[in-house]
Amino acid sequence: MDFCTANWYPMGDVYYRKFDLYQMEWNIKEDFKDCLVAVGPYGGSIALMKNFLTKEKPSSSRPVLEIYSASGILFSTIQWKSGQVVHLGWTVSEDLLCIQEDGTVLIYDIFCVFKRCFSMGNEVKQNHILETKVFHSEYRTGVAILTGALKFTLTSNIEELKLRRMPEIPGPKVTPSCWTVLFQDRMTLILVAIGKDLYLLDDTICSVITLPGMSPLSGACLHMSVSFHNKYLAVFTDCGSIWMGTSSLKEKCCEFTSDVRQVPKQMAWCIRPRSKQFAVVVRWDKLMLIAGRGNESILFPLDEETFMVSELDGVRLISHSTHEFLHEIPKATEEIFKIASMAPGALLMEAQKEYEKESQKADDYLREIKDQNLLPVAVAKCIEASGYEHSSEIQKSLLKAASFGKCFLDSYSPSEFVNMCHDLRVLNAINHYQIGIPLSIMQYKQLTVPILLDRLVLRRLYPLAVKICEHLKLPEFQGVSRTLAHWACYKVQQKEKSDEEVAQAINQKLGDTTGISYAEIASKACDCGRTELAIKLLEYEPKSEDQVPLLLKMKRSNLALGKAIESGDTDLVYTVVSYMKHEFNRRDFFMTLQNHPIALSLYRQFCKHQEPETLKDLYTQDDNHQELGNFHVRSSYYTEKSVEGRVAELQNAVDEYYKAKNDLAAKVTEDQIKLLRIQRLIQEKMDKPYLDYSLHDTIYNLILDGMQKKAEQLYKEFKIPDKRYWWLKISALSEKEDWEELENFSKSKKSPIGYLPFVEMCMKYHNKFEAKKYTARVTPELRVKAFLFVGDLDQAAEAAIEHKNENEMNTVLSKCTSVTDAFVAEKIERAKAQLLKK
């Protein structure tokens, strides 16, 4: 720690340092230039394709694809058996893209397991790939291709493949000296250099542009590089000039002139977020240059071939023996460790060291910090600086100093200190060479914990992922549950163990952990061809709506139907029944339903509204004559249009009702057949609709239409009760205003319903004269009511007095409202008084 500034390199106002992340565990003999190389961002994996075929270097042996961790530990390897690969690249989700010369893109995971493939289009297939780039934007991965016909094709998102043919560059066809992908206003653009000329291609046009502030003498562009977050652009020219500016191409940041004019092997930005320092790392075969503002630079000789990877806050350098990280030293680190620094953080570090030595100087350093009221600043700087360190020894020293300083603060929230301890513990765990994910604190914050957990799960490091979840106290559904679910999905792929063993192991590990879906695990088992294991796992799934679809997928319809019925979810039962109907033959389908009465009942309800013929078959198979009769009745009313067809259906219903020994239903249906035939004859004769009238309405309309004899015939034929028939005829004759016929009818024989209805119906149709004819024939008990109907208060009063009913007297009295009714009222009052005396 005393020599922690030994690897610092000054450049202007800042320092850069390069330190070892790992001594590489691999043992590769090929040069990087003889391999296709791809390194994922955020401490991602390394993919190498050895002995890949080129036109210049044909090979008799097949290429070998190898994938390593960042520390050089081999993950997987396969012999390549597909077409000629021209480029490798990693997606944001750590899938490997293997791009073949015909534009086919094959996607593998880090264990060389094939996932899927897609094509970049016919134009690429016909002309083959000349050059390609894999680029990232936010959470997406895109691919841009330059074909042999010197045309550009790209897709901004390989997950939602939409190919775009970029406009052609005007003029003669010349191979670009360099090109890159830019992002402006959510649009993906391509910047192309042909000699000194620069062209910007968007969806519709090709524009000629000039970089702001770039000297006309700068020469032709040889290499381009975009910063990690696509904010800045660097261009290297054949004069050794490096132009640095914004990727919007509107502002120049600085320019550097190099003595080397050779085309760089690689060029990458080395810039920290929110830093005002601009720096680009340029690599040649034996030399690496950090170029900054003006003529500020740092030179590094290279002893072995190196591959550069741009990161959020620096550049990773990978060689055959080492994996290093080059970055700008943060201000907090510089203030604390810079030689002769008197910054608060540096003084606090010294105070802590002297305290451990039990020296009086510790108090002197503390007083100096406290006198300036900078102790909170010193503590914060030590905590911040600890996050930038890769060495656990230096991290501990800085955190000890921070812990020592916060003891002398009256009110200090420890959350910042505790969070940093948590984060460093996670970073040190994943930075270990056996894990091989070298993240800095800034990359860790940008990547976020959920995505880090996804990467650990992808590497099948389940115990570490669970430990991190528990250490950070993440909610179960975000942490432990999700990790265990992934572990279980991997577990079901291990075919060396029996289904019973795997199911028990998974259930023992997961139990009833919230957020775990056994259906998802079972689905994975099903995809692996382990159907019985999937069924065993589904037994632990509490949600029937998740069980049933997978059981149907596995052709276990009977089991699915049982689960659906147990759930009580009718929609789920209908889903299974619908599936079985299309999968089974008719006989097996019906036999299966017979074994599940609930499902059969629900299916009948469905057929009643949707498939009546199927319903008929079900009843026939069950010899259910009662329901068959009901079916034919419904069919008569809702299916058949002609009278003959309806009568035939009703006759079928009669036959079924007799078979069911339901004589009442059979007799009623026979009556309906008789009525239908009569209605048809009447309708043909009267040229007026009579069909589908009820017996009541039929007789009523016959009376209205003057067919008294026909009405009388139906009355006798269908044995209509006398009271009902008299009401019908009185109502119809009154509506027709056939008062003479009404009077004749009243005299035909004694009315079974009395004569008050005659009074009521006459008054309903405003004929008081006719109503009065019947008042005298009303029984004494109802006579008052009859006189009130016709408005004869005097007669009503006489009837009430004669009947000696006080309630009737009061009713009549309440109707006496005018002066002319005073005599009636007086008469009633006298009668009431006499009743009281008695």
Side-chain angles (χ1 to χ4, degrees), residues 22 38-46 67-70 75 89-96 109-111 115 136 138-141 228 309-312 316 323 426-427 429-431 434-440 443-466 468-469 474 478-479 482-483 486-487:
Y22 305 108
V39 183
Y42 293 103
S45 307
I46 304 169
I67 299 178
Y68 296 88
S69 71
F75 279 142
W90 290 96
T91 68
V92 291
S93 56
E94 280 206 301
D95 287 329
L96 180 64
D109 67 11
I110 62 172
F111 294 102
K115 298 181 75 173
H136 304 123
E138 297 177 355
Y139 306 105
R140 299 174 296 171
T141 299
F228 187 83
V309 185
S310 181
E311 290 285 4
L312 170 69
R316 284 196 285 154
H323 190 160
V426 172
L427 287 174
I430 64 174
N431 283 341
Q434 288 184 332
I435 308 301
I437 305 179
L439 291 180
S440 67
Q443 294 169 25
Y444 170 70
K445 295 291 186 184
Q446 180 75 15
L447 191 65
T448 71
V449 172
I451 296 178
L452 173 61
L453 293 174
D454 288 342
R455 294 195 165 203
L456 292 173
V457 164
L458 189 65
R459 289 164 170 75
R460 300 172 186 168
L461 299 170
Y462 306 108
L464 178 59
V466 170
I468 289 175
C469 294
L474 297 178
Q478 290 181 347
R482 197 161 62 99
T483 304
H486 283 291
W487 166 80

Side-chain angles (χ1 to χ4, degrees), residues 517-555:
S517 172
Y518 280 96
E520 290 181 8
I521 304 167
S523 178
K524 188 69 176 178
C526 180
D527 293 341
C528 296
R530 304 187 69 173
T531 306
E532 292 304 319
L533 174 58
I535 293 172
K536 291 180 184 296
L537 290 170
L538 281 177
E539 291 299 322
Y540 303 120
E541 174 57 56
K543 297 179 181 177
S544 298
E545 62 267 25
D546 292 338
Q547 290 178 317
V548 169
L550 188 56
L551 288 169
L552 293 178
K553 181 182 175 183
M554 295 187 292
K555 309 293 184 183

Side-chain angles (χ1 to χ4, degrees), residues 33 45 70 72 149-150 242 361 374 555 565 644 690 717 730 766 829 834:
K33 63 183 178 183
S45 307
L150 303 181
I242 304 174
K361 290 182 180 179
L374 293 176
K555 309 293 184 183
I565 292 170
E644 293 79 5
Y690 265 83
E717 191 171 341
I730 292 168
H766 314 292
E829 290 293 347
Q834 289 177 2

Side-chain angles (χ1 to χ4, degrees), residues 344-390:
L347 293 177
L348 184 58
M349 280 282 289
E350 291 300 322
Q352 195 272 333
K353 289 177 185 176
E354 295 300 330
Y355 174 76
E356 285 188 343
K357 297 175 184 177
E358 299 182 357
S359 170
Q360 179 66 32
K361 290 182 180 179
D363 184 60
D364 296 337
Y365 286 128
L366 270 176
R367 286 183 183 277
E368 185 173 348
I369 301 170
K370 294 186 75 175
D371 289 345
Q372 301 176 57
N373 292 323
L374 293 176
L375 188 54
V377 175
V379 172
K381 290 292 182 182
C382 286
I383 294 173
E384 180 186 352
S386 67
Y388 299 128
E389 296 302 318
H390 183 71

Side-chain angles (χ1 to χ4, degrees), residues 19 288 343 409 481 499 536 550 559 712:
F19 59 85
M288 187 171 70
L409 292 172
S481 296
D499 295 340
K536 291 180 184 296
L550 188 56
L559 191 54
E712 190 82 16

Side-chain angles (χ1 to χ4, degrees), residues 534-535 538-539 543-581 583-584 592-593 596 598-599 602:
I535 293 172
L538 281 177
E539 291 299 322
K543 297 179 181 177
S544 298
E545 62 267 25
D546 292 338
Q547 290 178 317
V548 169
L550 188 56
L551 288 169
L552 293 178
K553 181 182 175 183
M554 295 187 292
K555 309 293 184 183
R556 299 302 176 97
S557 309
N558 275 309
L559 191 54
L561 185 57
K563 294 290 183 184
I565 292 170
E566 286 175 16
S567 72
D569 187 339
T570 54
D571 289 340
L572 208 55
V573 177
Y574 279 131
T575 300
V576 180
V577 170
S578 177
Y579 171 86
M580 293 171 67
K581 181 183 175 184
E583 288 295 314
F584 291 10
T592 303
L593 289 183
H596 297 88
I598 295 175
L602 288 171

